C-alpha cells in the first residue's frame, strides 16, 4: 500500500543495484526522489523535505545542547572528590520536554494525514487516462481497457499541464506473487497483490522516459523487473494509440518464421492479435518491435539481442519462465525475422 515514510532508503538501494543493467545502455532518466516530475511525487517530495527539515532542527538542537553541556560542565581539576550540585525536579523543564514534542508530533501527524489524503483521495478529472498494470514474474503487463491496447513493460501516457490536466489512473493487479510498482519521479510506490486491486495515479508534467523497478522482492529476477514510463508530448500520445490499434498486415516474406512460431509452443504463452496466438502467460507480442527493451528491461530490443533472447532466455535472464525452445540457427533466423515484422 502507499508507504510514504518507509519507502525511501531501502528501495533506493534496490534501485541503485538494479540500475546496472539496461539503464547503463540507454538514456532513461534517474530515479532521484528529490526531483519529482508528477503531482503525487511532488506532494510526497514536499512532505519528505518538511519532515527532514523538522528532524534536522531537532538534531541540531539536541546535538548542540549535548555538545555544549559536555564541554561546559566537563570534569575539572578543582572538582576532584566533589559531587556536583544535585537538583531534583523542574516543572518548567518537564513541561517543555513534554509539550514541545507533542506539538511536533501533532504537526507531523496533520501534515501526514493531509498528504496521504491528497494522494489517495484524488478524484479522476474527466480527461484522465485509465490503465491496468498486472505484475508477473518478472515483467509487467499493461492494459488500456478503454483503448483496447495490451502491451508490456512500457507504460505510455500523455503529459499533463495545468491548463489541460491529463493524469493517468492505474489499477494494479498481480498474476502470481506480490510486486510493487515504483517510478520514483512520478509517484510513491504501491504494491500489486494477488486477488486484489490496488489503485494509484501519476500526473507527469514533463515529456520523457521515466525509469522504475519492481520494489517488492518477488523471486530470482526481481531486480530485472524494470519498468519504463514514456510520457508523450501533447498530441503524440494519440499517435502512439493509433499505431498500437492498427490492424496487422501479414508479411509473406517471413512465412517460414511464422510457421515455426505457430508450430512451436510460442502461442501457448503469447498473443499476436489477428492470429490464433492468444496465450496469456507471457507478454503480448502484437507490437513487440515498438518496445525499447526485451525481458522487462534486461536488454535493448535490437535484432541481435532478440535473437539471443529467443535462442536462450536463461542466458540473458536466469530463471526467466520462458523456456529455451532448442531451435537451430536457421530456425532462429526465421523466427526472429518474423518477430521483427511485429511492429
Ligand atoms: Cu516483481 Cu519484485
Amino acid at each position: 500500500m502507499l508507504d510514504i515514510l518507509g519507502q525511501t532508503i531501502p528501495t533506493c538501494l534496490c534501485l541503485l543495484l538494479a540500475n546496472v543493467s539496461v539503464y547503463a545502455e540507454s538514456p532513461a532518466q534517474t530515479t532521484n526522489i528529490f526531483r519529482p516530475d508528477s503531482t503525487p511525487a511532488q506532494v510526497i517530495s514536499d512532505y519528505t523535505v518538511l519532515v527532514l527539515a523538522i528532524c534536522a532542527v531537532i538534531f541540531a538542537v539536541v546535538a548542540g545542547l549535548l555538545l555544549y553541556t559536555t564541554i561546559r560542565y566537563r570534569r575539572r581539576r578543582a572538582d576532584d572528590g566533589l559531587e556536583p550540585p544535585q537538583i531534583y525536579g523542574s516543572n518548567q523543564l518537564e513541561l517543555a520536554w513534554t509539550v514541545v514534542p507533542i506539538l511536533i508530533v501533532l504537526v507531523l501527524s496533520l501534515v501526514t494525514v493531509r498528504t496521504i489524503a491528497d494522494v489517495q483521495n484524488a478524484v479522476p478529472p474527466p480527461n484522465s487516462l485509465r490503465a491496468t498494470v498486472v505484475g508477473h514474474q518478472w515483467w509487467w503487463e499493461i492494459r488500456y481497457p478503454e483503448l483496447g491496447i495490451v502491451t508490456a513493460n512500457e507504460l505510455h501516457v500523455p503529459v499533463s499541464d495545468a491548463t489541460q490536466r491529463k493524469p493517468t489512473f492505474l489499477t494494479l493487479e498481480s498474476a502470481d506473487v506480490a510486486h510493487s510498482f515504483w517510478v520514483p519521479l512520478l509517484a510513491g510506490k504501491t504494491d500489486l497483490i494477488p486477488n486484489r486491486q490496488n489503485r494509484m495515479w501519476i500526473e507527469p508534467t514533463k515529456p520523457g522516459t521515466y525509469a522504475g523497478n519492481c520494489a517488492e522482492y518477488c523471486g530470482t529476477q526481481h531486480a530485472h523487473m524494470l519498468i519504463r514510463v514514456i510520457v508523450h508530448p501533447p498530441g503524440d500520445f494519440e499517435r502512439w494509440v493509433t499505431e498500437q490499434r492498427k490492424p496487422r498486415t501479414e508479411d509473406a516474406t517471413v512465412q517460414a518464421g511464422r510457421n515455426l512460431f505457430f508450430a512451436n509452443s510460442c502461442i501457448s504463452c503469447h498473443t499476436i492479435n489477428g492470429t490464433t496466438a492468444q496465450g496469456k502467460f507471457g507478454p503480448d507480442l502484437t507490437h513487440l518491435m515498438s518496445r525499447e527493451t526485451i525481458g522487462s528491461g534486461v536488454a535493448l530490443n535490437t535484432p541481435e539481442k532478440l535473437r539471443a533472447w529467443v535462442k536462450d532466455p536463461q542466458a540473458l535472464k536466469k530463471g526467466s519462465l520462458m523456456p529455451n525452445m532448442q531451435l537451430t540457427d536457421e530456425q532462429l533466423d526465421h523466427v526472429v525475422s518474423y518477430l521483427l515484422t511485429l511492429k
Side-chain angles (χ1 to χ4, degrees):
M1 297 301 293
L2 200 83
D3 167 15
I4 291 176
L5 258 185
Q7 76 179 17
T8 30
I9 295 155
T11 324
C12 279
L13 285 173
C14 293
L15 278 174
L16 275 176
L17 293 173
N19 277 350
V20 193
S21 62
V22 90
Y23 297 149
E25 299 175 37
S26 72
Q29 293 197 16
T30 71
T31 48
N32 186 345
I33 56 160
F34 294 107
R35 271 192 39 214
D37 276 337
S38 158
T39 314
Q42 182 69 55
V43 173
I44 293 171
S45 172
D46 292 348
Y47 167 83
T48 310
V49 169
L50 177 75
V51 172
L52 286 177
I54 292 177
C55 293
V57 171
I58 296 174
F59 174 79
V61 170
V62 172
L65 284 175
L66 199 62
L67 198 68
Y68 170 79
T69 324
T70 321
I71 295 169
R72 171 79 176 75
Y73 299 104
R74 68 188 183 279
R75 187 173 184 179
R76 291 165 204 266
R77 225 177 272 279
D79 294 340
D80 272 354
L82 291 175
E83 274 219 358
Q86 304 293 304
I87 300 161
Y88 295 96
S90 160
N91 283 341
Q92 284 107 315
L93 258 182
E94 291 199 15
L95 208 63
W97 73 45
T98 309
V99 172
V100 173
I102 287 177
L103 288 178
I104 295 172
V105 169
L106 189 71
V107 168
L108 286 176
S109 315
L110 292 177
V111 183
T112 306
V113 170
R114 171 77 195 267
T115 307
I116 292 176
D118 280 352
V119 175
Q120 282 192 339
N121 302 344
V123 178
N127 269 340
S128 49
L129 177 69
R130 283 169 201 279
T132 303
V133 177
V134 187
H136 292 257
Q137 282 174 320
W138 294 277
W139 60 282
W140 305 90
E141 176 183 345
I142 293 153
R143 308 179 151 267
Y144 299 83
E146 288 158 12
L147 302 174
I149 294 173
V150 181
T151 184
N153 306 323
E154 288 173 12
L155 175 64
H156 289 254
V157 300
V159 73
S160 187
D161 69 56
T163 54
Q164 205 188 356
R165 291 191 58 203
K166 267 250 173 208
T168 302
F169 281 73
L170 302 175
T171 303
L172 305 178
E173 298 170 5
S174 170
D176 37 49
V177 300
H179 303 271
S180 189
F181 183 94
W182 194 29
V183 182
L185 265 57
L186 300 184
K189 67 181 178 194
T190 309
D191 286 358
L192 297 87
I193 306 289
N195 301 317
R196 180 187 161 96
Q197 286 191 330
N198 280 342
R199 274 164 224 292
M200 68 178 291
W201 60 291
I202 56 174
E203 188 177 13
T205 48
K206 265 188 244 159
T209 299
Y210 293 85
N213 193 18
C214 179
E216 175 73 47
Y217 182 72
C218 54
T220 316
Q221 287 292 350
H222 156 70
H224 284 147
M225 193 165 161
L226 310 179
I227 184 137
R228 282 158 180 252
V229 178
I230 290 110
V231 180
H232 292 268
D236 197 49
F237 176 71
E238 289 69 22
R239 186 198 53 77
W240 178 81
V241 170
T242 313
E243 284 291 312
Q244 295 288 311
R245 295 172 72 171
K246 254 192 206 153
R248 296 196 50 256
T249 43
E250 291 289 351
D251 182 341
T253 62
V254 293
Q255 196 58 42
R258 189 183 191 280
N259 290 346
L260 275 165
F261 185 92
F262 284 81
N264 282 280
S265 46
C266 311
I267 58 169
S268 332
C269 293
H270 295 288
T271 291
I272 297 175
N273 272 349
T275 72
T276 50
Q278 294 294 322
K280 299 283 180 237
F281 194 65
D284 186 304
L285 299 181
T286 312
H287 296 282
L288 169 67
M289 295 319 294
S290 73
R291 305 203 278 260
E292 288 176 15
T293 69
I294 45 175
S296 202
V298 87
L300 289 176
N301 191 6
T302 62
E304 300 73 42
K305 292 283 186 192
L306 190 60
R307 190 179 191 281
W309 175 262
V310 179
K311 183 177 161 79
D312 185 8
Q314 312 295 317
L316 278 171
K317 191 168 180 177
K318 197 159 179 57
S320 159
L321 301 184
M322 171 158 157
N324 179 340
M325 303 307 290
Q326 313 288 344
L327 299 177
T328 64
D329 277 353
E330 199 198 342
Q331 289 175 321
L332 270 172
D333 290 339
H334 285 310
V335 170
V336 172
S337 14
Y338 172 60
L339 294 179
L340 291 175
T341 67
L342 305 176
K343 297 210 169 93

